[in-house]
Amino acid sequence: MASSDQLPKNYDFAEVEERWRGTWRDEDYYFDKNSKKPQYVIDTPPPYPTGNFHIGNALNWCYIDFFARYKRMKGYNVMFPQGWDCHGLPTEVKVEELNHITKNDVSREEFRRMCHELTAKNISLMRITLRKMAFSVDWSNEYITMMPEYFGKTQLSFLRMQKAGYIYQSEHPVNFCIRCETAIAFAEVAYDDRETQLNYFDFDGVEIATTRPELLAACVAVAVHPADERYHHLKDKKMKVPLFGHDVPVVQDEAVDPAFGSGAVMICTFGDKQDVHWWKQHNLALRKAIDRQGIMTDIAGKYKGLNTSACRAAILADMKSRNILKRQEKLAQRVGTCWRCKTPIEILSERQWFVKIKPDEIQKAAHEITWYPEHMLRRMENWVEQMEWDWCISRQRIFATPIPVWFCAKCGEMITPDEKDLPVDPTLVQPKQPCKKCGSTEFSGESDVLDTWMDSSISVLKVTGWDGSGKPPYFPAQIRPQGHDIIRTWAFYTILRSVALTGQKPWEEILVNGMVLGEDGFKMSKSRGNIIVPEEILGKYGADALRQWAAMGAATGSDIMFNWNDVVAASRFQTKMWNIAKFALIQLEKEGYDPHAPVTALADRWLLVRLSDTIQQVSEAMEGYQFDTALKAIREFAWEVLADNYIELVKGRLYTGEASRKSALLVLHTAFDALCKMLAPFTPYFAEECYSHLHKGASVHKQPWLSFTYDDESARSEGNLRVQLVSEVRKYKHDSGLALNAPLGRVTIYAPHTVDDEGDTGRTLNAEVHWRTDAAKLDRVITGIDFNRAIIGPVFRKQAQAFINAVAALPQNQLENPPKTILLEGTEVEIPKDAFAPKFSYMEGGAKVDVITVGDVIVTIAKA
Ligand SMILES: [Zn+2]
Ligand SMILES: [Zn+2]
């Protein structure tokens, strides 16, 4: 360790961060299964391995690391696992792009292998960023959802829920992305505002308006309001669908709006959710006009083989030529789209697997969890309340967890594997036993795979040690940190699955973070060019500065705008702190400090009180996950209380070696030690660097959180007053053009009572300071007059100077209380309002002094 006076002048974050990264050991952050400490298990979000750990991830992980480090210091056995949510379409698409293939060009196995390889490479890239950011991840609890040991658990959870009646398969309308060629869940439907065309056409004598003429082939009924007299004659009648010619029933339904268009609507399978509702309600036929690729089917007749937009154009053209298209108008519309690729979704009726949603169960568990911020619970409640369909969990893709199910080729019986044989890919292996029902040994494996949320929604079960044999040893977890954008997906599914598999809530608390917006206040996107990547910030200012930005940018839960200025300010704070550190270390090294030295001086007691206040404030903020409040309090203490005031007050005492030097050294040591500890969760590198100098190589990350308290009300109020006095007098010096260390002469302070400050005030001001409790005896004299020429000029014109002379000649008492009129060149004239003001000076004991007042304290200064 270098001697303190050899400390580098400037704080070199790049050197320091790299050095500590090379020193710290992963084992120090492992969760200890044999520990007697209370557990604190974090259900960390597993990011999608794109290869880039983005700024939104960084914010989320900063929050996690702040409280993970804090809780360790508070004596918890912390688990901060790192997962990777691998499966899904984006990787499939990337693999197709990179290898110039489509998924059908190679075998399923080969395609899966390629996805695997790309994912593994991306994970290793993202691990590097995680390490640079100094996240105290427990790498012994890393999990990767594409690995057999993880997806085996996903399959186990599937079988358990299937046996418990939560999972079933059925033909049911589902949201379907025809580009991704897969079903998607409701939670994966995004909404886009678009403009479309509303087409009015003649439907067997009734005018009907539709935005989707291409669904005419799928028309299964016409609906009217039961009270709509215009259509009473159609009751129980059939109508002929134009262009296609099939007959459909007329149904009556309260949900039809008689004021919309003609008041008659067509029901198709399926134009939207309302169609699905009517279709069920009225037991209508099913006509599938669009297939999984978005191509018109056989029932579309001459339009078969067209895609939906070509079909729409062709049908509108045919309507025109038959003269049944009446008119068209523009209509603003919210269209459901695939959240991954933005293609408008279709509602297709498909055989799919579903998870039953039991809203009451989920609401109950959600209410047993403490939400930070509290209002985020409302979002969950709203989502559960509007739940209409069960969760569709089957996907028609490849890179995902296989659904562990076979069907008997002869009798159709469903066969599931033994739990001990998991994981299985039913498309590659066969059941070990013949069909129990018919004895056949021919099976077809389910080729559908599971929604990736089926993987990630058991992350909490995985990290708490679930193996299917009862309650997992570390369940429930203490906290789930996540973004507000995935409340209706990840949070919702996790609660659902935990309740279904364990009967309990998954976590005690959930901490919801906001989104990171670009510097322009908009969501970051390639097209706006406002994307900021963590690696860029790390290169320019280092991890500690980026982490400070994350803490200070906004209150927890609020969206946070990225701002380079905040990062620069964070880096400046480190520079300031480094200067404080150097000063403190040099002073402490000179003589060493005595931990038992009596703390006597006012400034010292004051600093300890302020430190105690700060520690309490920071601890409370950390308990409530209010990181901005915590770091703000730390910065204010370091910068304003310690550096700008305390150190200025005691510098002289430290340099001159007064008797109470030991008191100041002890206080300086205490404050600096506490600052390192309070900063440890926020700026782990910087805090470690400072602390290792202070404690000769010890690590701040192995220290307990502060329990220091110091109560001394008079030191707080007297000290605050003293600090204010000093700062006012220093301001006076500055305003009078004096250097801050220039000798000031005699300063007399008239205060209600005095406290011995061991000469700190005098040394700091470089003045001879006298404290007095009697009243100041000051004589006020007028030493000049300020004339207001802007008033005098226009009123007196040529006589202005004469007026000034006349005023100047007034006796002192008249200057203080001016008469209404004055004699000017023989004439009595009125004195205009605000024409002049006397300038006062004060005399104390016959000498001229300057006077400053601070509250009820009077300070007189007789300059040297
Ligand atoms: Zn899609
Ligand atoms: Zn069978």
Side-chain angles (χ1 to χ4, degrees), residues 177 179-180 338 341:
C177 175
R179 200 209 66 89
C180 303
C338 168
C341 73

Side-chain angles (χ1 to χ4, degrees), residues 242-268:
L243 304 184
F244 293 91
H246 60 283
D247 288 332
V248 296
V250 176
V251 300
Q252 300 193 318
D253 198 291
E254 302 270 353
V256 180
D257 177 7
F260 180 77
S262 64
V265 293
M266 62 176 190
I267 302 175
C268 304

Side-chain angles (χ1 to χ4, degrees), residues 85 92 363 408 478 530-531 582 765 805 810:
D85 183 17
E92 291 192 14
Q363 294 283 26
C408 171
Q478 274 54 57
N530 61 353
I531 294 181
K582 280 188 301 180
L765 299 174
N805 294 343
L810 287 172

Side-chain angles (χ1 to χ4, degrees), residues 187-366:
E188 294 171 316
V189 178
Y191 291 91
D192 261 5
D193 288 317
R194 296 189 183 186
E195 193 174 79
T196 186
Q197 213 166 33
L198 187 60
N199 307 284
Y200 292 85
F201 67 103
D202 182 275
F203 191 115
D204 201 6
V206 173
E207 186 182 78
I208 282 185
T210 181
T211 58
R212 307 229 25 211
E214 69 274 21
L215 282 175
L216 209 52
C219 178
V220 292
V222 169
V224 296
H225 194 277
D228 195 336
E229 290 179 0
R230 289 171 294 180
Y231 302 114
H232 275 175
H233 67 284
L234 291 175
K235 198 164 182 274
D236 301 327
K237 293 264 164 54
K238 297 239 176 225
M239 293 175 76
K240 206 169 272 302
V241 178
L243 304 184
F244 293 91
H246 60 283
D247 288 332
V248 296
V250 176
V251 300
Q252 300 193 318
D253 198 291
E254 302 270 353
V256 180
D257 177 7
F260 180 77
S262 64
V265 293
M266 62 176 190
I267 302 175
C268 304
T269 52
F270 296 94
D272 56 19
K273 245 166 95 180
Q274 182 63 51
D275 278 346
V276 177
H277 180 77
W278 279 330
W279 172 74
K280 280 194 200 165
Q281 194 82 1
H282 299 284
N283 239 331
L284 299 168
L286 178 69
R287 290 177 67 89
K288 298 188 190 182
I290 299 171
D291 74 7
R292 292 172 168 218
Q293 278 95 37
I295 302 300
M296 304 311 294
T297 64
D298 287 342
I299 68 161
K302 66 180 264 210
Y303 309 102
K304 181 191 169 185
L306 296 179
N307 66 29
T308 50
S309 47
C311 176
R312 175 187 310 212
I315 286 186
L316 287 174
D318 287 347
M319 283 180 168
K320 258 184 206 152
S321 66
R322 292 205 192 176
N323 217 11
I324 57 171
L325 185 64
K326 303 294 185 198
R327 62 201 154 93
Q328 295 176 300
E329 56 190 44
K330 288 203 165 71
L331 183 73
Q333 197 188 27
R334 295 202 80 197
V335 183
T337 60
C338 168
W339 79 324
R340 297 223 189 260
C341 73
K342 299 286 166 247
T343 304
I345 50 132
E346 293 290 348
I347 297 175
L348 303 183
S349 185
E350 293 275 339
R351 185 189 66 91
Q352 301 285 355
W353 292 87
F354 296 90
V355 167
K356 241 181 226 156
I357 287 169
K358 302 182 179 175
D360 294 347
E361 260 180 27
I362 298 167
Q363 294 283 26
K364 182 171 170 280

Side-chain angles (χ1 to χ4, degrees), residues 407-415 434-443:
F407 297 98
C408 171
K410 276 219 176 97
C411 73
E413 177 75 354
M414 186 174 90
I415 290 115
C435 172
K436 282 202 180 85
K437 203 167 160 195
C438 74
S440 164
T441 51
E442 276 177 53
F443 304 95

